[in-house]
Amino acid sequence: EEDKGRKRVNVLLKNELQVQAKWAEDGTFESNPLYNDDGSPKPKFMVTFPYPYMNGRLHLGHAFSLTKAEFAAGFK
């Protein structure tokens, strides 16, 4: 029987593997984009994110900025 405390973790790990397989299949995070369905090349898109300074505490704004960059890169 699966440990009750690990059940959620195992579900998340399974989901992660499925999403990573889709990303690999679609070439989502490749530096050289694949082609659109009509054969035209996809344009390159790059996001930069400055790392937070080490002289201050991390706060929700850092996560918000990084999330926007991750979403934009995955969506484009």
Side-chain angles (χ1 to χ4, degrees):
E1 183 178 312
E2 185 177 25
D3 181 20
K4 191 173 183 179
R6 293 279 307 165
K7 188 173 184 178
R8 289 182 183 175
V9 172
N10 290 336
V11 168
L12 291 173
L13 290 172
K14 181 181 174 186
N15 287 347
E16 182 179 14
L17 291 174
Q18 291 172 344
V19 170
Q20 287 176 346
K22 179 166 177 28
W23 287 345
E25 179 183 326
D26 295 346
T28 302
F29 294 102
E30 290 187 15
S31 58
N32 293 318
L34 301 177
Y35 295 91
N36 292 314
D37 292 337
D38 64 358
S40 62
K42 288 184 178 180
K44 288 188 177 188
F45 181 78
M46 184 178 80
V47 176
T48 60
F49 176 76
Y51 290 102
Y53 292 110
M54 298 306 291
N55 61 355
R57 292 178 171 235
L58 290 175
H59 55 81
L60 190 57
H62 293 107
F64 180 68
S65 297
L66 182 58
T67 302
K68 289 192 305 185
E70 285 283 338
F71 178 78
F75 184 73
K76 292 275 185 172

